[in-house]
Amino acid sequence: MSMIAAFYGGKSILITGATGFMGKVLMEKLFRTSPDLKVIYILVRTKAGQTTQQRVFQILNSKLFEKVKEVCPNVHEKIRAIYADLNQNDFAISKEDMQELLSCTNIIFHCAATVRFDDPLRHAVQLNVTATQQLLLMASQMPKLEAFIHISTAFSNCNLKHIDEVIYPCPVEPKKIIDSMEWLDDAIIDEITPKLIGDRPNTYTYTKALGEMVVQQESGNLNIAIIRPSIVGATWQEPFPGWVDNLNGPSGLIIAAGKGFLRSIRATPMAVADLIPVDTVVNLTLAVGWYTAVHRPKSTLIYHCTSGNFNPCNWGKMGFQVLATFEKVPFERAFRRPNADFTTNTITSQYWNAVSHRAPAIIYDFYLRLTGRKPRMTKLMNRLLRTVSMLEYFVNRSWEWSTYNTEMLMSELSPEDQRVFNFDVRQLNWLEYIENYVLGVKKYLLKEDMAGIPEAKQHLRRLRNIHYLFNTALFLIAWRLLIARSQMARNVWFFIVSFCYKFLSYFRASSTLKV
Ligand SMILES: CCCCCCCCCCCCCCCCCC(=O)SCCNC(=O)CCNC(=O)[C@H](O)C(C)(C)COP(=O)(O)OP(=O)(O)OC[C@H]1O[C@@H](n2cnc3c(N)ncnc32)[C@H](O)[C@@H]1OP(=O)(O)O
Ligand SMILES: NC(=O)C1=CN([C@@H]2O[C@H](COP(=O)(O)OP(=O)(O)OC[C@H]3O[C@@H](n4cnc5c(N)ncnc54)[C@H](OP(=O)(O)O)[C@@H]3O)[C@@H](O)[C@H]2O)C=CC1
């Protein structure tokens, strides 16, 4: 029997961000391995016209939760969705709900955050710093709380090359940043943001670092641990390979490349692609929750959940495998044949952006206008290029994260726990994982049926023929223009024509002689 699974039995667990990519997998794993847990409280806001109940119903009836229904048929009774909006200082939680949370919660997993790279600083501080502070305040009023697990990111200190499992102080105290957000107007905040984030690339990584400082400063005598995952990708093994449900990280770019929109990205092929499967992050998170509650370390331990130290992959290998998978399992209705490449030079990258991204979009929009349809490709391409420009920071650098605490934890697990809560990425076969990732993007993000593969391949063959036809026409037009302007070109052209004519007449003569 797994000690970790048994530990969560009978527990009341609070998860923030449970409707997110990681939160869903965390919930699924808890229900599947500890169906005798008492309750999982999740803080859920209304979104896209759905009530909290409707959102929970949709999650529990999704493919991700298929196995849970077998082992925990009464899962609906064990999940308690509490309306909350982390943008509000008191989370807008009702008094009754707050009273229940404060009196019953045993473990907190704080996953909620804004993961957008372009969020205005005020919004990112509210969600990634102030909300964390508010949750810590709530935690300090929970008499039964055994552990508070905070999910940060391995990139919170991406301005450093080597990152240890310690909290690095930010130049400005989080309290001062939080207070200034209350009285500065948006224009001033936008102006000072670059100075505040300094050598970090965006407000996301900066506010995640501030959030860690708040955890350190306001932990009081709470039993806390921090987990820093790197680039979280689709599931590796459980509940099934390849599951992913958002466009963050590589997923969006895999779609853009598979649909033929993305043809080149400025990346360093040999840079470490530090991806980590979401189920691996969740297994480590649950093991950390158990270890923190049971062993009660004297200080807040930080666990790096990364792959580069154990089983490095690089962007060149990832890109190659992604393209190879497109050959076998193409996406449907591609705009062009998938054929993305990495460029390391900014000038070359700008050239390919003009030639391979913007020009085809303009031509296609012109065709849409001619056929009386609304042009949309240029707008889509600009948004994609903006997305790519924000992700480029992470694909042109490599980092080294120390993993002492993560390795220590692995050694503390029994063989059964190492099997059930496996976070040993040394076993990960990257080619297989990346192939399953692309298949998962097709099935779970694009909702494309595998039965449509022959038609998708047929569509790609048509695109290839159009591509050849277009290039031939372009060549002939260019050649015709050249001949009209250059005697040399005309001479070459006549030489080729007369050579072909002589060859054909010789060929015809020799074939009649044989008869
Ligand atoms: C050979 C090919 C090889 C391919 C594989 C190689 C891949 C390399 C990838 C490297 C990834 C590195 C990520 C590192 C992240 C660090 C990990 C974390 O801690 S942080 C956790 C990770 N955090 C993140 O990854 C956050 C990154 N994302 C962001 O911050 C924002 O999406 C944004 C600022 C990039 C764009 O904002 P904005 O312009 O407002 O755009 P919206 O958001 O409003 O979406 C507009 C439209 O675009 C769609 N779409 C959305 N996202 C992507 C995408 N990634 N891509 C494509 N499309 C995307 C979206 O569906 C929407 O469509 P529609 O609804 O209009 O029809
Ligand atoms: N994805 C990645 O590559 C990585 C993620 N991380 C960290 O992991 C954690 C989870 O990330 P991930 O699951 O990918 O992120 P998602 O964007 O998928 O999920 C974010 C969660 O936070 C919730 N949330 C956001 N704003 C609010 C709000 N105002 N009120 C209530 N809930 C809110 C979202 O709820 P809703 O559904 O209502 O929007 C959602 O459940 C984050 O802390 C992130 O920093 C760390 C490293 C890498």
Side-chain angles (χ1 to χ4, degrees), residues 140-391:
S140 64
Q141 301 163 48
M142 293 177 176
K144 295 182 183 170
L145 189 68
E146 300 174 36
F148 182 114
I149 310 304
H150 175 70
I151 308 294
S152 181
T153 171
F155 297 98
S156 52
N157 302 288
C158 59
N159 51 328
L160 305 175
K161 170 79 179 162
H162 178 87
I163 300 145
D164 281 322
E165 292 164 315
V166 297
I167 292 175
Y168 295 88
C170 293
V172 181
E173 278 295 312
K175 284 192 188 68
K176 290 181 180 163
I177 299 289
I178 293 171
D179 293 346
S180 58
M181 292 298 119
E182 279 155 22
W183 58 276
L184 287 176
D185 67 30
D186 290 346
I188 296 179
I189 292 176
D190 288 347
E191 209 171 304
I192 64 173
T193 295
K195 296 184 181 57
L196 286 172
I197 67 177
D199 51 1
R200 286 183 173 87
N202 52 47
T203 55
Y204 168 71
T205 51
Y206 175 64
T207 52
K208 288 302 278 190
L210 285 176
E212 291 182 3
M213 279 188 77
V214 164
V215 169
Q216 184 182 49
Q217 292 170 352
E218 323 232 344
S219 56
N221 49 19
L222 289 172
N223 202 13
I224 293 184
I226 294 174
I227 295 170
R228 289 175 177 161
S230 49
I231 303 170
V232 182
T235 50
W236 168 20
Q237 296 166 316
E238 42 177 342
F240 44 82
W243 184 82
V244 60
D245 84 333
N246 72 14
L247 290 162
N248 288 339
S251 311
L253 295 194
I254 287 172
I255 291 178
K259 291 283 188 181
F261 295 125
L262 183 68
R263 275 299 180 76
S264 94
I265 177 171
R266 191 173 66 81
T268 308
M270 293 313 290
V272 174
D274 203 300
L275 267 70
I276 192 84
V278 61
D279 49 330
T280 305
V281 181
V282 163
N283 286 340
L284 174 67
T285 300
L286 291 171
V288 168
W290 161 77
Y291 183 80
T292 307
V294 170
H295 293 267
R296 302 186 68 82
K298 294 185 190 57
S299 61
T300 298
L301 292 185
I302 290 155
Y303 299 84
H304 284 156
C305 190
T306 56
S307 58
N309 218 12
F310 299 109
N311 180 1
C313 181
N314 60 49
W315 292 114
K317 182 176 177 181
M318 176 169 180
F320 176 82
Q321 186 60 12
V322 165
L323 291 175
T325 309
F326 289 149
E327 289 293 320
K328 289 189 280 185
V329 186
F331 293 167
E332 296 173 7
R333 295 181 303 284
F335 172 61
R336 288 178 298 187
R337 286 173 309 119
N339 180 19
D341 201 357
F342 291 139
T343 60
T344 51
N345 174 297
T346 310
I347 309 289
T348 321
S349 177
Q350 284 162 356
Y351 167 78
W352 285 118
N353 275 344
V355 167
S356 265
H357 295 137
R358 298 191 198 286
I362 292 166
I363 294 167
Y364 187 72
D365 277 349
F366 179 66
Y367 159 72
L368 289 177
R369 280 197 183 86
L370 281 185
T371 51
R373 284 176 283 176
K374 190 169 175 293
R376 57 187 168 80
M377 192 53 74
T378 307
K379 185 178 171 226
L380 186 148
M381 197 57 85
N382 287 337
R383 287 191 95 159
L384 173 62
L385 292 178
R386 180 171 172 270
T387 297
V388 169
S389 67
M390 291 196 173
L391 298 177

Side-chain angles (χ1 to χ4, degrees), residues 373-420:
R373 284 176 283 176
K374 190 169 175 293
R376 57 187 168 80
M377 192 53 74
T378 307
K379 185 178 171 226
L380 186 148
M381 197 57 85
N382 287 337
R383 287 191 95 159
L384 173 62
L385 292 178
R386 180 171 172 270
T387 297
V388 169
S389 67
M390 291 196 173
L391 298 177
E392 278 178 351
Y393 178 90
F394 299 95
V395 294
N396 285 291
R397 288 166 178 78
S398 296
W399 288 268
E400 292 147 14
W401 287 280
S402 61
T403 49
Y404 170 76
N405 290 337
T406 304
E407 290 173 74
M408 173 279 293
L409 179 62
M410 209 181 290
S411 66
E412 289 288 320
L413 264 55
S414 68
E416 176 64 2
D417 276 335
Q418 286 184 7
R419 186 184 67 79
V420 178

Side-chain angles (χ1 to χ4, degrees), residues 439-511:
L439 285 173
V441 165
K442 179 179 177 68
K443 283 191 277 189
Y444 309 118
L445 271 183
L446 295 173
K447 313 282 186 219
E448 292 182 359
D449 192 306
M450 302 306 269
I453 289 175
E455 167 55 30
K457 286 185 174 176
Q458 177 72 13
H459 176 68
L460 288 187
R461 279 194 288 274
R462 280 197 293 272
L463 288 177
R464 184 199 54 203
N465 297 339
I466 292 168
H467 172 78
Y468 290 155
L469 215 59
F470 181 76
N471 284 1
T472 308
L474 221 54
F475 172 76
L476 290 176
I477 291 167
W479 182 246
R480 186 69 192 83
L481 290 172
L482 190 65
I483 285 177
R485 282 169 171 62
S486 149
Q487 184 55 45
M488 163 70 86
R490 277 196 292 278
N491 297 343
V492 168
W493 178 245
F494 291 140
F495 171 74
I496 292 169
V497 170
S498 58
F499 177 77
C500 292
Y501 180 72
K502 284 186 182 125
F503 178 74
L504 281 175
S505 47
Y506 166 74
F507 184 72
R508 195 180 302 124
S510 57
S511 57

